[in-house]
Amino acid sequence: MSTQPRPSTPRAPSPQQAPSPQQAPSGRKDGSPRQGPRTQRRRRRGAERRPRFAIAVTALFFLLLYLPVGVVVLFSFNAQKSLTVLDGVSMRWYTALLHDDVLLDSLGMSLRVSLVATAGSLVLGVALALGLVRSRSRLGSFAGLIMLVPLITPEIVTGVAAMLLFKGLGITLSTTTVMLAEITFSISYVTVILRSRIAALNPEVEEAAMDLGATRGQALRLVTLPALLPSILASAVLIFALVFDDFVLAYFTTGVDPQPLSVRIYSAIRFGVQPTINAVGTLMLAGSIGLIVLALAIPRLFGRRGGLDLLSGK
């Protein structure tokens, strides 16, 4: 007759075996010792400490970058003709600029070139961006990569290529050649800015408009383009600022007279820097900063993302 062993039941630990609060293991689950609040604050303060060396290098970089610009702005208000000694504050050179017909003609040409280049690049850039986003073929993807090439190509290469093209076709360099070159160069910027916005649009909105009786052209004009208006305005302001300040492309494609303002300033500097040039540079700097700030602020005025987000494609 076999006997089955009785199942053993766990016994409660005796008071001597139970861990006391003083003997409870200290530390975290991974076995590392628990840190006190002072150590945690010290570690947090070390993690939040700013890198002083990086801040110093950044400050030095901006100082070297903008110090010459600040000197130009400062001496544009110099009461004397000297470019090394500041003697009083005066608007003398701004008044002289208003009576300089050569510089005013160059300023007018730069404004005309900027307006035409902005309008032409917007029309072609919007159409190209729509085609690249809506195209589902490999050719569209390849064309999208090609549009990035002008953004990374040195501008001097583009300028020389444009000059050789016009010379090869027998076209005399003039204001028209500058406009054509600037339009061609600016299309890539417009396309890159608008592609991210078009890709974020919901195509079902256009389909709903066409279901309600609108044609494809009406859906584009009444639905798509109004949604793209903030990006289009931001692109227009940026292109105007880029073209107005452009020197390299304008230098290789301009004629004898009149010349764009940037080329005229370069020609005048070769024979000696005049204080009037400081006034012109200050006005160009102020105008460019104002246009760029306006371009970055336009999308936010419409409740959209900022211009920096549009440029980065976020």
Side-chain angles (χ1 to χ4, degrees), residues 102-103 106 256-269:
V102 176
L103 287 177
S106 298
V256 178
D257 198 42
Q259 294 178 332
L261 185 59
S262 57
V263 180
R264 178 66 65 183
I265 292 175
Y266 172 75
S267 302
I269 288 177

Side-chain angles (χ1 to χ4, degrees), residues 74-75 77-88:
L74 180 63
F75 277 90
F77 297 98
N78 193 4
Q80 302 298 325
K81 193 176 181 180
S82 175
L83 297 175
T84 56
V85 179
L86 184 63
D87 187 11

Side-chain angles (χ1 to χ4, degrees), residues 82-283:
S82 175
L83 297 175
T84 56
V85 179
L86 184 63
D87 187 11
V89 178
S90 174
M91 301 293 293
R92 171 185 176 183
W93 307 114
Y94 291 92
T95 305
L97 173 62
L98 297 178
H99 294 86
D100 194 331
D101 295 334
V102 176
L103 287 177
L104 291 180
D105 291 340
S106 298
L107 176 61
M109 180 187 175
S110 295
L111 292 175
R112 291 194 301 271
V113 171
S114 300
L115 290 174
V116 173
T118 301
S121 60
L122 282 179
V123 173
L124 298 176
V126 170
L128 184 58
L130 285 170
L132 292 177
V133 174
R134 302 296 169 81
S135 177
R136 299 180 180 179
S137 62
R138 295 182 178 179
L139 181 61
S141 302
F142 179 74
L145 295 176
I146 293 297
M147 289 305 303
L148 299 177
V149 174
L151 301 180
I152 61 177
T153 302
E155 192 175 356
I156 189 172
V157 176
T158 306
V160 173
M163 181 188 66
L164 295 177
L165 176 63
F166 292 137
K167 291 289 186 179
L169 296 177
I171 301 176
T172 304
L173 298 181
S174 61
T175 305
T176 304
T177 56
V178 179
M179 293 178 179
L180 293 175
E182 295 291 355
I183 290 174
T184 306
F185 179 73
S186 304
I187 292 175
S188 299
Y189 289 92
V190 179
T191 304
V192 171
I193 294 175
L194 291 179
R195 279 184 63 183
S196 60
R197 178 57 186 159
I198 296 174
L201 293 179
N202 190 357
E204 296 179 356
V205 178
E206 291 186 10
E207 296 175 359
M210 289 186 287
D211 291 340
L212 295 175
T215 62
R216 186 174 296 275
Q218 291 175 339
L220 176 64
R221 179 170 55 88
L222 300 176
V223 178
T224 306
L225 291 182
L228 297 177
L229 184 59
S231 302
I232 293 175
L233 294 178
S235 303
V237 178
L238 285 176
I239 295 303
F240 184 89
L242 291 175
V243 174
F244 184 81
D245 293 341
D246 183 68
F247 168 75
V248 178
L249 195 59
Y251 179 78
F252 283 101
T253 57
T254 188
V256 178
D257 198 42
Q259 294 178 332
L261 185 59
S262 57
V263 180
R264 178 66 65 183
I265 292 175
Y266 172 75
S267 302
I269 288 177
R270 290 188 300 173
F271 301 100
V273 180
Q274 298 295 326
T276 312
I277 303 300
N278 292 334
V280 176
T282 303
L283 293 177

